[in-house]
């Protein structure tokens, strides 16, 4: 690991200011992704700002009838929260589908949104990767791409977004609340939070230098059957090949968000609109514009079959 | 070097550490508590699992400085050869290991798993999110972050079930 200096932040304003003023500074919370990448020298921060004691670890009701989740709420606590379990079941389900018990005890809400891709070419510093080293090329395009994205990809990058939690957040229309280095607060709809790779895959979110996530808010609960289905190579502790978060309403409407297939958590209005027509129509709408490789073309039928399985599950419950 | 104060297995320790030092290396290299094992050093195998502030974590994926002032329990703090922790005893009785390298992590994890079930933390296999209860499936799912290359899994499940009072034997 490359040397770095370390400080513990005591308030949000100071943390944001410090992060913007020191070149190469990074926030550290759970550290489960960042430290892994630092050991491999994929991430080489010069300064770490430990935000663990900023007190952003509460879950509270909002005036609008929704929920405000502190940036530092651990994945375990969010999944176990009684309001989340009762009113936002899909979020609880998505959280416990991710990682291991040990990692969920450390990993935070904000850190989960910022976790980086698991593309094997991003992880291997001997390989070209436009995300890790802009301009070096993409090893995955003509390489091993079985796990990688088929939606929102570009000629520069086909990395997939690895999060389960973020897929549920996308389904629930979450907003990401931040504070900038100058103290400015803003709320970013999760649909706009992650950037598509385009020609600049190293830019992954709309966050500015020093800008810190303070909380994530959820609107009022969405009634219906909440389901999160994750398809992966092992029954537990593996990243998604395809995952689907869904809420089926009693009136035949439904909403869907997808993981494992997108450069970011994927959701389209067209897929939601096709809900009453069944799995095939929803899959077709969701996969519009999909660009597959020889190795990951299986994700197209897998999306449809996963959706079909969700429809069966929800019909059985109805 | 950064000063770090920890309470490890009930004993207060003061260290001067390079900020890069993982909690795992602080325990093994600086405090000579070598019960906790380094397997992959990337949070994939679970051999380094310890209990910090009452929760199991991968000690390889966290910096010691981030835990200044906190309580750490390692396998050495759960029990002693003369007075084994019930989970340690159950692993012996049920032969829940072969080479033993993953065992300290398995045991720390297992102790926490039973606490998590008691606390109502749901898992991926929990049918009803409001009703979290012990089952072998729950244990299998919750222990998936601890790999055993000797594949002593069935005996590990038996040991944990025994401690939970759910033994079939």
């Amino acid at each position: 690991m490359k040397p770095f200096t370390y400080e513990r932040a005591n308030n949000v304003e100071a943390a944001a200011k410090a992060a913007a003023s020191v070149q190469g500074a990074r926030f550290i919370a759970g550290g489960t992704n960042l430290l892994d990448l630092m050991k491999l020298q994929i991430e080489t921060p010069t300064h770490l700002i430990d935000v663990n004691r900023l007190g952003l670890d509460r879950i509270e009701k909002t005036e609008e009838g929704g929920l405000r989740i502190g940036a530092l709420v651990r994945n375990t606590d969010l999944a176990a929260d009684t309001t989340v379990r009762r009113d936002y079941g899909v979020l609880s389900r998505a959280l416990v589908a991710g990682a291991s018990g040990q990692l969920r005890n450390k990993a935070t809400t904000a850190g989960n949104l910022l976790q980086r891709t698991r593309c094997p070419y991003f992880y291997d510093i001997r390989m070209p990767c436009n995300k890790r080293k802009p301009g070096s090329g993409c090893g995955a395009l003509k390489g091993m791409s079985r796990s990688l994205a088929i939606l929102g990809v570009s000629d520069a990058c086909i990395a997939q977004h690895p999060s389960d939690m973020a897929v549920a957040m996308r389904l629930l229309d979450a907003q990401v609340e931040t504070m900038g280095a100058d103290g400015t607060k803003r709320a970013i709809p999760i649909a706009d939070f992650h950037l598509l790779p385009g020609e600049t895959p190293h830019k992954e979110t709309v966050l500015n230098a020093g800008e810190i996530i303070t909380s994530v808010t959820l609107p009022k609960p969405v009634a219906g059957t909440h389901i999160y289905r994750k398809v992966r190579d092992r029954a537990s502790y593996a990243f998604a090949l395809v995952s689907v978060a869904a809420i089926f309403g009693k009136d035949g409407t439904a909403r869907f968000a997808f993981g494992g297939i997108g450069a970011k958590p994927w959701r389209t209005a067209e897929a939601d609109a096709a809900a009453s027509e069944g799995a095939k129509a929803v899959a077709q709408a969701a996969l519009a514009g999909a660009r597959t490789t020889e190795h990951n073309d299986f994700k197209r039928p897998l999306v449809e079959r996963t959706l079909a399985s969700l429809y069966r599950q929800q019909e059985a419950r109805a | 070097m950064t000063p770090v104060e920890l309470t490890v297995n009930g004993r207060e320790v003061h260290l001067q550490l390079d900020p890069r030092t993982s909690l795992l290396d602080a325990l093994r290299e600086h405090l000579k508590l070598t019960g906790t094992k380094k397997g992959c050093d990337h949070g994939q195998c679970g051999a380094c699992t310890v209990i910090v502030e009452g929760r199991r974590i991968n000690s390889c994926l966290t910096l010691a400085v981030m835990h200044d002032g906190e309580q750490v329990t390692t396998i050495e703090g759960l029990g002693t050869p003369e007075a084994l922790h019930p989970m340690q005893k159950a692993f012996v009785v049920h032969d829940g290991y072969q080479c033993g390298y993953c065992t300290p992590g398995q045991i720390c994890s297992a102790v926490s798993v039973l606490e998590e079930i008691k606390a109502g933390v749901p898992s991926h296999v929990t049918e009803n999110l409001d009703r979290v209860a012990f089952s072998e499936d729950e244990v299998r799912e919750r222990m998936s972050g601890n790999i055993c290359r000797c594949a002593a899994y069935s005996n590990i499940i038996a040991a944990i079930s025994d401690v939970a009072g759910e033994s079939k034997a």
Side-chain angles (χ1 to χ4, degrees):
Chain A
M1 208 186 286
K2 298 273 190 199
F4 54 84
T5 48
Y6 169 91
E7 72 172 283
R8 179 175 295 126
N10 296 311
N11 67 75
V12 179
E13 292 81 0
K17 202 173 259 182
S21 62
V22 182
Q23 188 78 25
R26 293 291 305 266
F27 298 121
I28 187 163
T32 53
N33 190 205
L34 182 59
L35 287 168
D36 185 26
L37 293 169
M38 285 168 66
K39 288 181 184 194
L40 299 165
Q41 298 193 10
I42 295 164
E43 294 263 15
T44 52
T46 58
H47 184 62
L48 285 186
I49 302 165
D50 182 345
V51 296
N52 280 295
R53 298 186 191 179
L54 290 182
L56 303 170
D57 55 0
R58 283 187 295 277
I59 302 174
E60 341 168 283
K61 298 259 163 69
T62 63
E63 281 174 19
E64 297 76 32
L67 216 55
R68 174 167 287 106
I69 302 156
L72 293 167
V73 173
R74 310 285 155 174
N75 286 179
T76 298
D77 297 318
L78 187 54
D81 181 79
T82 48
T83 307
V84 173
R85 278 194 268 170
R86 187 187 64 226
D87 297 336
Y88 303 95
V90 67
L91 177 58
S92 201
R93 293 280 182 204
L95 282 158
V96 295
S100 67
Q102 289 97 314
L103 292 169
R104 291 192 296 270
N105 277 344
K106 266 254 146 235
T108 63
T109 305
N112 193 311
L113 289 176
L114 297 174
Q115 71 174 303
R116 308 203 65 194
T117 185
R118 298 287 162 162
C119 174
Y121 296 88
F122 175 74
Y123 258 78
D124 187 343
I125 56 170
R126 295 163 302 181
M127 293 289 173
C129 171
N130 288 320
K131 188 184 275 300
R132 175 169 34 77
K133 197 176 173 196
S136 63
C138 173
L141 271 173
K142 291 197 167 120
M144 306 272 285
S145 52
R146 181 172 175 272
S147 62
L148 303 179
I150 61 173
L151 288 161
V153 297
S154 72
D155 287 335
C157 183
I158 58 170
Q160 85 286 37
H161 195 273
S163 173
D164 292 296
M165 184 201 80
V167 176
M169 294 285 198
R170 179 69 187 88
L171 185 79
L172 295 165
D173 291 322
Q175 298 222 35
V176 183
E177 297 188 323
T178 70
M179 180 181 279
D182 60 357
T184 317
K185 293 180 181 178
R186 64 170 172 157
I188 307 159
I190 191 155
D192 304 333
F193 181 77
H194 295 104
L195 297 171
L196 291 179
E199 288 173 13
T200 53
H202 58 289
K203 290 184 186 163
E204 296 178 352
T205 71
V206 296
L207 293 177
N208 297 314
E211 191 170 6
I212 185 170
I213 299 174
T214 52
S215 53
V216 175
T217 58
L218 301 178
K220 269 194 289 206
V222 181
T225 306
H226 287 224
I227 304 175
Y228 188 76
R229 180 67 59 84
K230 182 174 183 179
V231 183
R232 46 184 160 175
D233 287 334
R234 297 190 296 251
S236 183
Y237 199 17
F239 287 94
L241 292 169
V242 166
S243 72
V244 183
I247 302 174
F248 289 90
K250 283 211 165 70
D251 53 358
T253 63
R255 55 167 84 185
F256 305 94
F258 301 85
I261 56 173
K264 64 182 209 174
W266 205 256
R267 185 171 172 209
T268 68
E270 291 78 9
D272 291 2
S276 62
E277 298 164 53
K280 196 181 176 81
V282 174
Q284 243 168 26
L287 292 169
R291 188 175 135 185
T292 58
T293 66
E294 182 191 348
H295 295 123
N296 65 22
D297 197 51
F298 74 93
K299 290 193 177 189
R300 286 176 197 268
L302 191 55
V303 166
E304 185 184 325
R305 287 167 194 174
T306 308
L307 280 162
S309 143
L310 254 66
Y311 271 86
R312 273 202 300 279
Q313 181 179 341
Q314 99 90 17
E315 279 156 16
R317 276 193 200 174
Chain B
M1 301 298 256
T2 312
V4 180
E5 191 186 304
L6 300 169
T7 304
V8 182
N9 301 330
R11 187 168 63 94
E12 218 176 89
V13 295
H14 299 266
L15 298 166
Q16 290 287 331
L17 298 174
D18 182 314
R20 287 176 288 183
T21 313
S22 67
L23 179 59
L24 174 61
D25 285 344
L27 294 170
R28 285 183 57 86
E29 308 298 331
H30 295 265
L31 297 171
K32 307 297 176 195
L33 290 168
T34 52
T36 307
K37 297 294 186 276
K38 183 182 282 193
C40 68
D41 209 25
H42 287 279
Q44 295 170 7
C45 75
C48 69
T49 304
V50 298
I51 302 168
V52 176
E53 295 287 300
R55 299 178 149 219
R56 57 177 172 148
I57 64 167
N58 299 112
S59 61
C60 75
L61 277 192
T62 194
L63 299 171
V65 287
M66 291 159 64
H67 296 281
D68 188 40
E70 293 185 355
Q71 305 259 352
V72 182
T73 303
T74 69
I75 190 71
E76 292 94 339
L78 283 179
T80 63
E82 295 72 36
L84 295 175
H85 182 281
M87 192 64 79
Q88 291 172 315
K89 199 172 163 193
F91 268 67
V92 174
V93 168
H94 293 275
D95 203 14
Y97 47 80
Q98 193 178 125
C99 82
Y101 196 80
C102 72
T103 311
Q106 298 278 1
I107 290 176
C108 284
S109 208
V111 167
S112 295
V113 160
L114 295 185
E115 294 292 324
E116 287 164 16
I117 292 172
K118 251 185 231 163
V121 175
S123 87
H124 182 61
V125 299
T126 306
E127 197 112 332
N128 182 337
L129 288 174
D130 292 327
R131 257 180 283 149
V132 179
F134 180 94
S135 71
E136 288 195 359
D137 278 348
E138 285 283 357
V139 175
R140 276 190 201 96
E141 161 61 25
R142 291 167 191 266
M143 291 295 291
S144 69
N146 291 84
I147 311 297
C148 172
R149 263 316 47 124
C150 308
Y153 296 115
S154 57
N155 293 359
I156 292 171
I157 304 286
I160 300 172
S161 301
D162 193 353
V163 176
E166 303 270 353
S167 179
K168 281 182 186 159

